[in-house]
Amino acid sequence: MHLARFPRQRFFPAPTPLEQLPNLSRHLGGPEIWIKRDDCTVVASGGNKIRKLEFLAGEALAQGADTLVTQGAVQSNHVRQTAAVAARLGMKCHVLLEHRIETNDPAYLTSGNLFLDRLFGASIEYRPGGTDMNAAAVEAGEKLRAGGAKPYVIPGGGSNRVGALGYVGCAQELMAQADEMGLVIDRVVHATGSAGTQAGLVAGMIGMNANVPVLGIGVRAPRPTQEANVHRLAEEVADYAGIKGGVPRAAVMANCDYVGAGYGQPTEPMREAVTLLARLEGVLLDPVYSGKGMAGLIDLIRRGEIGARERVVFLHTGGSVGLFGYQPFFEAGFAA
Ligand SMILES: *Cc1c(COP(=O)(O)O)cnc(C)c1O
């Protein structure tokens, strides 16, 4: 694999920091917990979609596009990051937002990511929950093309073989950092949703023969679906990146026990994880992804499924802007 062969826009100075979380480790009685700060990818307050957008925007510009089209839930971090990237590149941005969660909460419907989408100047259309959003985005792109624009349609979460290259690159970056520091990584843990992050990481680890397991903590789909989605995309991105030999099914591991009532529905373990990281480490997680991912990591440590002597890297995928969309939920916890 040789990522320089793919068109790319650089949006942040790599590597993102790899830091220890000593207070959290002490609080839990081990293991050694490290955090890879992909919440520090600069654009739009950062997050994992920026790595994917380096390759997606690179391809969009190579194709002569002038408009980025994408979709997500109302509080989508991906949409916010896409809107900012478009602004930075002097492109237009058109987004479709799905009412995936039934709520009248003004914080959820107007604050956080939604507010920033508007600030970045994206044009917004809404769709009811349950809409086939990728198909709707393609349709919106066709409409724009008929009107004379040059749209580039990005699937939800930026999760296709082009976007996932960003996390092949992250795997390379992380292992170079660990080797430089003399850090032996026993396991990587992160929140997995539209699958591109885990697919890229798994393919990248295989491409390097790193032998570092990657555990995705699911935020939406049940485990069989999530693992199948990640595996399919890992095979695609491995092939696209020139990684030989395919991706063994066993290399794809997801734990979907921490979703709670559904995508974007707050859980008590998420509240605890977000609050612990804020108060022990001064780190901001998010309610939909990294908060549930960290809740999973904490629970697996407490159950002894992740050993006290391991060295674990939690990939922080960003999303803290979403906290403002859930402010009433957290404030209710402060009062209690
Ligand atoms: C999108 C997102 C994820 C999940 O990444 P996928 O590549 O969609 O699986 C995790 N955390 C945050 C904060 C995200 O915005």
Side-chain angles (χ1 to χ4, degrees):
M1 72 185 140
H2 189 14
L3 295 182
R5 293 200 177 107
F6 298 92
R8 183 175 190 175
Q9 288 286 310
R10 292 281 185 170
F11 293 133
F12 63 95
T16 59
L18 178 59
E19 301 171 334
Q20 230 178 316
L21 296 177
N23 302 327
L24 181 65
S25 287
R26 206 172 305 121
H27 178 82
L28 296 171
E32 204 175 284
I33 306 172
W34 292 73
I35 188 164
K36 172 73 170 157
R37 299 293 303 265
D38 272 17
D39 57 323
C40 299
T41 51
V42 177
V43 181
S45 88
N48 61 339
K49 305 313 182 303
I50 298 300
R51 280 194 197 270
K52 301 177 182 183
L53 286 161
E54 287 197 332
F55 290 95
L56 291 161
E59 187 176 87
L61 290 176
Q63 293 179 2
D66 61 12
T67 306
L68 297 181
V69 179
T70 199
Q71 57 91 359
V74 171
Q75 283 294 333
S76 167
N77 299 303
H78 163 69
V79 166
R80 179 240 317 158
Q81 291 165 86
T82 304
V85 159
R88 174 155 163 171
L89 296 175
M91 303 172 88
K92 291 198 179 98
C93 185
H94 185 67
V95 304
L96 271 58
L97 298 181
E98 178 191 3
H99 284 294
R100 202 177 288 169
I101 295 175
E102 258 184 68
T103 177
N104 294 319
D105 179 359
Y108 184 85
L109 294 173
T110 66
S111 185
N113 285 294
L114 194 278
F115 165 59
L116 295 189
D117 296 343
R118 298 179 66 203
L119 189 60
F120 289 127
S123 54
I124 300 174
E125 283 183 65
Y126 290 89
R127 292 289 184 274
T131 302
D132 180 344
M133 292 300 287
N134 278 332
V138 168
E139 207 175 287
E142 277 160 12
K143 226 186 231 174
L144 287 167
R145 191 180 305 283
K150 293 178 180 139
Y152 179 86
V153 180
I154 297 173
S159 284
N160 58 16
R161 65 181 192 173
V162 177
L165 286 175
Y167 273 87
V168 173
C170 180
Q172 292 179 317
E173 180 184 307
L174 174 62
M175 296 318 292
Q177 251 172 332
D179 286 340
E180 179 70 31
M181 296 164 67
L183 170 66
V184 178
I185 300 173
D186 294 309
R187 199 190 303 248
V188 174
V189 178
H190 69 93
T192 180
S194 67
T197 300
Q198 190 172 7
L201 285 176
V202 167
M205 291 298 183
I206 287 169
M208 289 180 290
N209 287 314
N211 244 332
V212 173
V214 178
L215 175 65
I217 306 290
V219 299
R220 189 176 185 186
R223 176 176 166 176
T225 311
Q226 188 63 22
E227 289 188 343
N229 290 346
V230 173
H231 185 238
R232 190 182 322 113
L233 186 51
E235 295 254 55
E236 274 181 46
V237 70
D239 183 59
Y240 192 49
I243 297 162
K244 303 280 178 243
V247 174
R249 177 62 185 76
V252 174
M253 290 169 289
N255 180 324
C256 300
D257 296 344
Y258 303 94
V259 177
Y263 173 86
Q265 303 287 351
T267 64
E268 280 311 313
M270 177 279 285
R271 187 207 301 276
E272 186 206 5
V274 169
T275 308
L276 267 183
L277 268 284
R279 294 183 181 180
L280 290 177
E281 300 285 0
V283 168
L284 293 174
L285 299 177
D286 85 279
V288 179
Y289 297 95
S290 56
K292 287 184 179 174
M294 181 56 82
L297 173 59
I298 289 171
D299 187 60
L300 293 170
I301 289 169
R302 285 181 176 151
R303 290 165 175 275
E305 288 182 36
I306 292 179
R309 305 184 102 67
E310 283 193 35
R311 280 138 306 187
V312 181
V313 173
F314 180 78
L315 172 70
H316 190 338
T317 43
S320 63
V321 166
L323 287 170
F324 297 99
Y326 287 77
Q327 192 173 337
F329 169 78
F330 288 99
E331 292 199 342
F334 300 157

